[in-house]
Amino acid sequence: MTANLILEDVYTAYDKADVLEGVSLEARSGEITCLLGSNGAGKTTTIRSILGLTPPRAGNIKFNDAALTGMATHRIVGLGMSCIPEGRKVFPKLTTEENLRLGAYQQTDEKVIQQRIAEVYEIFPRLEERRDQLAGTMSGGEQAMVSIGRGLMSAPKMLLIDEPSLGLSPLYVKENFKIIQRINERGITVFLVEQNVRQTLAIAHRGYVLSKGRVVAAGTPEELRANEEVHAAYFG
């Protein structure tokens, strides 16, 4: 299962003002690659560019051998990419299991859907206990599990995860990062967008730091921790 993602000199604009300015990065198959940066750095715009929601005005994006530039979002998802959006965004008036089923909307074989639901419950036993509970009545941490589980229902090659620690208690943040690591160990490539630098670098294989729409640092977690600018900004 390969899942290489490459961005080459990507420029993305809103209302003619560039948010991303020449972003180049690579998420390698089988690894957790992180994109770090403060609010407004362009992290979510990077995800929107990859998924074709806000198409870049210049540059190239490739997933395996496919050129994503100009491709419709549903076709990009069909290539094996799944996104866990910022803020979880569960369907509050649907049950846990109904939310999960929505993640398998491209799958028509009920046996396959049941098998994938069973795999999600294996990762998140708490969700099986709450399979008939309305997602809107669950805690923030449980909703995060529903969101990740729904993302896994398409059997993705790559998961794009946007700010998984946002709004969660420290206990759930720690649990979420362990879960992301376990998902990666199952063979799913992860592109993780985060502000929580310490937790992210503890599980990532490689990372990039984004500032004002530009990549200002790249390397292994050890290299990023040793980078003076990164250390001053995040560990000072």
Side-chain angles (χ1 to χ4, degrees), residues 68-110:
L68 303 190
T69 317
M71 190 182 285
T73 301
H74 72 276
R75 286 191 58 211
I76 294 170
V77 171
L79 293 173
M81 200 176 279
S82 184
C83 181
I84 316 295
E86 179 185 340
R88 297 175 286 284
K89 295 185 174 62
V90 299
F91 294 92
K93 295 185 178 178
L94 298 182
T95 66
T96 293
E97 193 149 310
E98 287 168 340
N99 267 273
L100 294 180
R101 282 180 165 274
L102 287 173
Y105 71 95
Q106 292 186 324
Q107 178 56 247
T108 55
D109 188 329
E110 180 62 24

Coordinates of all heavy atoms in Angstrom, one line a residue, residues 68-110:
L68 N -3.0 15.8 -8.7 CA -4.3 16.2 -8.1 C -4.8 17.5 -8.6 O -5.9 17.9 -8.4 CB -4.1 16.2 -6.6 CG -3.7 14.9 -5.9 CD1 -3.9 15.0 -4.4 CD2 -4.5 13.7 -6.4
T69 N -3.8 18.3 -9.1 CA -4.2 19.7 -9.5 C -5.3 19.7 -10.5 O -5.2 19.1 -11.6 CB -2.9 20.4 -10.1 OG1 -1.8 20.1 -9.3 CG2 -3.1 21.9 -10.1
G70 N -6.4 20.3 -10.2 CA -7.6 20.4 -11.1 C -8.5 19.2 -11.0 O -9.6 19.2 -11.6
M71 N -8.2 18.3 -10.1 CA -9.1 17.1 -10.0 C -10.2 17.4 -9.0 O -10.0 18.1 -8.0 CB -8.2 15.9 -9.5 CG -9.0 14.6 -9.5 SD -8.0 13.2 -8.9 CE -6.8 12.9 -10.2
A72 N -11.4 16.9 -9.2 CA -12.5 17.1 -8.3 C -12.2 16.4 -7.0 O -11.6 15.3 -6.9 CB -13.8 16.5 -8.9
T73 N -12.8 17.0 -5.9 CA -12.5 16.4 -4.5 C -12.9 15.0 -4.4 O -12.2 14.2 -3.8 CB -13.2 17.3 -3.5 OG1 -12.7 18.7 -3.6 CG2 -12.9 16.8 -2.1
H74 N -14.1 14.6 -4.9 CA -14.6 13.2 -4.7 C -13.7 12.2 -5.4 O -13.5 11.1 -5.0 CB -16.0 13.1 -5.2 CG -16.2 13.1 -6.7 ND1 -16.3 14.3 -7.4 CD2 -16.3 12.2 -7.6 CE1 -16.5 14.1 -8.7 NE2 -16.5 12.8 -8.9
R75 N -13.0 12.7 -6.5 CA -12.1 11.8 -7.2 C -10.8 11.6 -6.4 O -10.2 10.6 -6.4 CB -11.8 12.3 -8.6 CG -13.0 12.1 -9.6 CD -12.6 12.4 -11.0 NE -11.4 11.6 -11.4 CZ -10.5 12.0 -12.3 NH1 -10.6 13.2 -12.9 NH2 -9.5 11.2 -12.7
I76 N -10.4 12.7 -5.8 CA -9.2 12.7 -4.9 C -9.4 11.7 -3.8 O -8.6 10.9 -3.5 CB -8.8 14.1 -4.4 CG1 -8.4 15.0 -5.6 CG2 -7.7 14.0 -3.3 CD1 -8.2 16.5 -5.2
V77 N -10.6 11.8 -3.1 CA -10.9 10.9 -2.1 C -11.0 9.4 -2.6 O -10.5 8.5 -1.9 CB -12.3 11.3 -1.4 CG1 -12.8 10.2 -0.5 CG2 -12.2 12.6 -0.7
G78 N -11.5 9.3 -3.8 CA -11.5 7.9 -4.4 C -10.2 7.3 -4.6 O -10.1 6.1 -4.8
L79 N -9.1 8.1 -4.7 CA -7.8 7.6 -4.9 C -7.2 7.0 -3.6 O -6.2 6.3 -3.6 CB -6.8 8.7 -5.3 CG -7.1 9.3 -6.7 CD1 -6.1 10.5 -7.0 CD2 -6.8 8.2 -7.8
G80 N -7.9 7.2 -2.5 CA -7.5 6.6 -1.2 C -7.1 7.6 -0.2 O -6.2 7.3 0.7
M81 N -7.6 8.8 -0.2 CA -7.3 9.8 0.7 C -8.5 10.1 1.6 O -9.6 10.2 1.0 CB -6.8 11.1 0.0 CG -6.0 12.0 0.8 SD -5.4 13.4 -0.2 CE -4.0 12.7 -0.9
S82 N -8.3 10.3 2.9 CA -9.5 10.6 3.8 C -9.0 11.7 4.7 O -7.9 11.8 5.1 CB -9.9 9.3 4.6 OG -11.0 9.6 5.4
C83 N -10.0 12.6 5.0 CA -9.6 13.7 5.9 C -10.4 13.7 7.2 O -11.7 13.5 7.2 CB -9.9 15.0 5.1 SG -9.5 16.5 6.0
I84 N -9.7 14.0 8.3 CA -10.4 14.2 9.6 C -10.4 15.7 9.8 O -9.3 16.3 10.1 CB -9.6 13.5 10.7 CG1 -9.2 12.1 10.4 CG2 -10.4 13.6 12.0 CD1 -10.3 11.1 10.2
P85 N -11.5 16.4 9.7 CA -11.5 17.8 9.7 C -11.2 18.4 11.0 O -11.5 17.8 12.1 CB -12.9 18.2 9.2 CG -13.7 17.1 9.6 CD -12.9 15.8 9.5
E86 N -10.8 19.7 11.0 CA -10.6 20.4 12.3 C -12.0 20.6 13.0 O -13.0 20.8 12.3 CB -10.0 21.8 11.9 CG -9.8 22.7 13.1 CD -9.4 24.1 12.7 OE1 -8.9 24.3 11.5 OE2 -9.6 25.1 13.5
G87 N -12.0 20.5 14.3 CA -13.2 20.6 15.0 C -14.1 19.4 15.0 O -15.3 19.5 15.3
R88 N -13.7 18.3 14.5 CA -14.4 17.0 14.5 C -15.5 16.9 13.5 O -15.6 16.1 12.7 CB -14.8 16.6 15.9 CG -13.6 16.5 16.8 CD -13.9 16.2 18.3 NE -14.4 17.3 19.0 CZ -13.6 18.3 19.5 NH1 -12.3 18.3 19.2 NH2 -14.1 19.3 20.2
K89 N -16.5 17.9 13.7 CA -17.7 18.0 12.7 C -18.4 16.6 12.6 O -18.6 16.1 11.5 CB -17.2 18.5 11.3 CG -16.7 19.9 11.4 CD -16.3 20.4 10.0 CE -15.9 21.9 10.0 NZ -14.8 22.2 10.8
V90 N -18.8 16.1 13.7 CA -19.7 14.9 13.6 C -21.1 15.4 13.2 O -21.5 16.6 13.3 CB -19.8 14.1 14.9 CG1 -18.4 13.6 15.3 CG2 -20.3 15.0 16.1
F91 N -22.0 14.4 12.8 CA -23.4 14.8 12.6 C -24.1 14.5 13.9 O -24.4 13.4 14.3 CB -24.0 13.9 11.5 CG -23.3 14.2 10.1 CD1 -22.2 13.4 9.7 CD2 -23.8 15.2 9.3 CE1 -21.6 13.7 8.5 CE2 -23.2 15.5 8.1 CZ -22.1 14.7 7.7
P92 N -24.5 15.6 14.6 CA -24.9 15.5 16.0 C -26.2 14.7 16.2 O -26.4 14.0 17.2 CB -25.1 16.9 16.5 CG -25.2 17.7 15.2 CD -24.5 17.0 14.2
K93 N -27.1 14.7 15.2 CA -28.4 14.0 15.4 C -28.4 12.6 14.8 O -29.5 12.0 14.7 CB -29.5 14.9 14.7 CG -29.7 16.2 15.4 CD -30.9 17.0 14.9 CE -31.0 18.3 15.7 NZ -32.1 19.1 15.2
L94 N -27.2 12.1 14.4 CA -27.1 10.7 14.0 C -26.4 10.0 15.1 O -25.6 10.5 15.8 CB -26.3 10.7 12.7 CG -26.9 11.3 11.4 CD1 -26.0 11.1 10.2 CD2 -28.3 10.8 11.2
T95 N -26.6 8.7 15.1 CA -25.9 7.8 16.1 C -24.4 7.7 15.7 O -24.0 8.0 14.6 CB -26.5 6.4 16.2 OG1 -26.3 5.8 15.0 CG2 -28.0 6.5 16.6
T96 N -23.7 7.1 16.6 CA -22.3 6.8 16.4 C -22.2 5.9 15.1 O -21.4 6.2 14.2 CB -21.7 6.0 17.5 OG1 -21.6 6.8 18.7 CG2 -20.3 5.5 17.2
E97 N -23.0 4.9 15.0 CA -22.8 4.0 13.9 C -23.3 4.6 12.6 O -22.7 4.4 11.5 CB -23.6 2.6 14.2 CG -23.2 1.6 13.2 CD -23.3 0.2 13.7 OE1 -22.8 -0.1 14.8 OE2 -24.0 -0.7 13.1
E98 N -24.3 5.4 12.7 CA -24.8 6.1 11.4 C -23.7 7.1 11.0 O -23.4 7.2 9.7 CB -26.1 6.9 11.7 CG -27.3 6.0 11.9 CD -28.5 6.7 12.4 OE1 -28.3 7.8 13.1 OE2 -29.6 6.2 12.3
N99 N -23.0 7.8 11.9 CA -21.9 8.6 11.5 C -20.8 7.8 10.8 O -20.2 8.2 9.8 CB -21.3 9.3 12.7 CG -21.9 10.7 13.0 OD1 -21.4 11.7 12.5 ND2 -22.9 10.7 13.8
L100 N -20.5 6.6 11.4 CA -19.4 5.8 10.8 C -19.8 5.3 9.4 O -19.0 5.4 8.4 CB -19.2 4.5 11.7 CG -18.6 4.8 13.0 CD1 -18.4 3.4 13.8 CD2 -17.2 5.5 13.0
R101 N -21.1 5.0 9.2 CA -21.5 4.5 7.9 C -21.3 5.6 6.8 O -21.1 5.2 5.6 CB -23.0 4.1 7.9 CG -23.2 2.7 8.6 CD -24.6 2.3 8.6 NE -24.7 0.9 8.9 CZ -24.7 -0.1 8.0 NH1 -24.5 0.2 6.7 NH2 -24.8 -1.4 8.3
L102 N -21.5 6.8 7.2 CA -21.3 7.9 6.2 C -19.9 7.9 5.6 O -19.7 8.4 4.5 CB -21.7 9.2 6.8 CG -23.2 9.5 7.1 CD1 -23.4 10.7 7.9 CD2 -23.9 9.5 5.8
G103 N -19.0 7.4 6.4 CA -17.6 7.4 6.0 C -17.3 6.4 4.9 O -16.3 6.4 4.2
A104 N -18.3 5.5 4.7 CA -18.2 4.4 3.7 C -19.1 4.6 2.6 O -19.6 3.6 1.9 CB -18.4 3.0 4.4
Y105 N -19.4 5.9 2.3 CA -20.5 6.2 1.3 C -20.2 5.7 -0.1 O -21.0 5.4 -0.9 CB -20.8 7.7 1.2 CG -19.7 8.5 0.6 CD1 -19.7 8.9 -0.7 CD2 -18.6 8.9 1.4 CE1 -18.7 9.7 -1.3 CE2 -17.6 9.7 0.8 CZ -17.7 10.1 -0.5 OH -16.7 10.8 -1.0
Q106 N -18.9 5.4 -0.4 CA -18.5 4.9 -1.7 C -18.5 3.4 -1.8 O -18.3 2.8 -2.9 CB -17.1 5.4 -2.2 CG -17.1 6.9 -2.4 CD -15.7 7.4 -2.9 OE1 -14.7 6.9 -2.6 NE2 -15.8 8.4 -3.8
Q107 N -18.8 2.8 -0.7 CA -18.8 1.3 -0.6 C -20.2 0.8 -0.6 O -21.1 1.3 0.2 CB -18.1 0.8 0.7 CG -18.0 -0.6 0.9 CD -17.4 -1.4 -0.3 OE1 -18.1 -2.2 -1.0 NE2 -16.1 -1.2 -0.5
T108 N -20.5 -0.2 -1.5 CA -21.9 -0.7 -1.6 C -22.1 -2.1 -1.0 O -23.2 -2.5 -0.8 CB -22.4 -0.7 -3.1 OG1 -21.4 -1.5 -3.8 CG2 -22.5 0.7 -3.6
D109 N -21.0 -2.7 -0.7 CA -21.0 -4.1 -0.2 C -21.2 -4.1 1.3 O -20.4 -3.6 2.1 CB -19.7 -4.8 -0.5 CG -19.8 -6.3 -0.2 OD1 -20.5 -6.7 0.8 OD2 -19.1 -7.1 -0.9
E110 N -22.4 -4.5 1.8 CA -22.7 -4.4 3.2 C -21.8 -5.2 4.1 O -21.4 -4.8 5.2 CB -24.2 -4.9 3.4 CG -24.6 -4.9 4.9 CD -24.7 -3.5 5.5 OE1 -24.7 -2.5 4.8 OE2 -24.6 -3.4 6.8

